[in-house]
Amino acid sequence: NKELRDLDLKRNYETKLQLCEAAEALVLEPSIIVAFRKLQELHDKWRETGPVANEYKEALWDRFKEASTRINKQHQDYFEGLKEEQQRNLELKTELCLKAEELSTEILTTRKEWNKASEKLIEIQKVWKTIGFAPQKDNAKIYERFRKACDRFFELKRGYYEELKSEMDHNLQLKLEICEQAEQL
């Protein structure tokens, strides 16, 4: 019975040693998300594996725990970095919203001014597309704000050109009438 128990402890030792090596290798995993998930699986296997001899127990656990701590720290740092990046993206997108809103409130009276303002807004839209996501709770709101400013601008532009076309049609009608009068004379 003692021989079977010693054999079982030896097999558990080898299994836990492999788990330690696998956990340490996860530091080299390019995707921290994948590494974190694999670490969770290794922890499950660690719990499922039976006991080891008392003289190895503490050293093995410390080794496994240290590898786990490194992976957990990388995972935490990754998400903190992601959170900071999303906050910066929100700030950049807020600035773009202000610029778009400013353009949509300007009073433009010539085609040249409208074309220049349109180019600016299209450039702002291009920059918007290069910026990543904002925090999830703010992402839809900031997009709606930006869309609203852009829509308002293009609505005003459309109104300006409709008015201009109407004026041109009216002027054409007046010129045609002058031509008819000239032809009668």
Side-chain angles (χ1 to χ4, degrees):
N1 197 15
K2 183 175 177 356
E3 287 175 10
L4 287 174
R5 186 175 186 285
D6 288 344
L7 187 63
D8 198 31
L9 291 176
K10 184 179 178 189
R11 192 176 57 234
N12 291 343
Y13 172 79
E14 290 170 0
T15 302
K16 287 193 175 186
L17 194 59
Q18 289 172 348
L19 291 173
C20 287
E21 291 168 358
E24 292 165 346
L26 288 177
V27 175
L28 303 175
E29 172 67 42
S31 169
I32 190 62
I33 306 296
V34 171
F36 185 76
R37 286 190 187 128
K38 286 181 180 178
L39 179 65
Q40 300 312 307
E41 293 171 9
L42 292 177
H43 271 274
D44 291 341
K45 289 178 183 175
W46 184 275
R47 283 188 288 275
E48 292 168 6
T49 305
V52 296
N54 281 336
E55 64 262 20
Y56 303 120
K57 185 178 181 179
E58 200 66 37
L60 272 177
W61 173 244
D62 287 343
R63 183 176 172 186
F64 187 73
K65 189 170 77 170
E66 185 195 332
S68 295
T69 302
R70 275 189 273 154
I71 299 297
N72 288 329
K73 177 82 171 107
Q74 285 179 343
H75 189 257
Q76 184 179 4
D77 291 347
Y78 170 78
F79 279 102
E80 285 176 5
L82 192 62
K83 195 185 254 185
E84 289 173 11
E85 180 185 338
Q86 288 177 344
Q87 193 59 42
R88 279 192 307 271
N89 291 345
L90 178 62
E91 291 167 7
L92 292 171
K93 286 183 173 190
T94 302
E95 288 177 28
L96 292 178
C97 283
L98 291 172
K99 289 179 182 179
E101 289 165 350
E102 186 180 310
L103 278 176
S104 70
T105 58
E106 285 183 10
I107 298 172
L108 306 170
T109 56
T110 66
R111 279 191 268 185
K112 189 175 185 179
E113 289 174 348
W114 276 105
N115 288 338
K116 198 172 186 180
S118 292
E119 288 172 8
K120 284 182 186 176
L121 188 60
I122 289 170
E123 195 58 38
I124 290 170
Q125 288 175 333
K126 285 179 184 175
V127 172
W128 178 277
K129 290 177 184 176
T130 64
I131 298 173
F133 290 104
Q136 192 172 8
K137 65 182 173 77
D138 300 316
N139 205 45
K141 290 177 199 168
I142 196 76
Y143 179 74
E144 282 300 314
R145 180 178 173 188
F146 185 69
R147 257 314 356 121
K148 188 177 179 181
C150 291
D151 290 347
R152 186 175 189 292
F153 174 84
F154 286 115
E155 223 174 82
L156 291 171
K157 182 179 177 182
R158 186 172 34 259
Y160 170 78
Y161 277 101
E162 285 173 1
E163 190 177 303
L164 188 64
K165 185 179 182 319
S166 172
E167 186 180 323
M168 291 170 74
D169 288 344
H170 178 70
N171 290 343
L172 176 65
Q173 191 60 40
L174 291 175
K175 288 179 181 181
L176 287 174
E177 289 174 10
I178 292 172
C179 286
E180 287 175 6
Q181 290 174 358
E183 287 172 355
Q184 286 178 357
L185 290 176

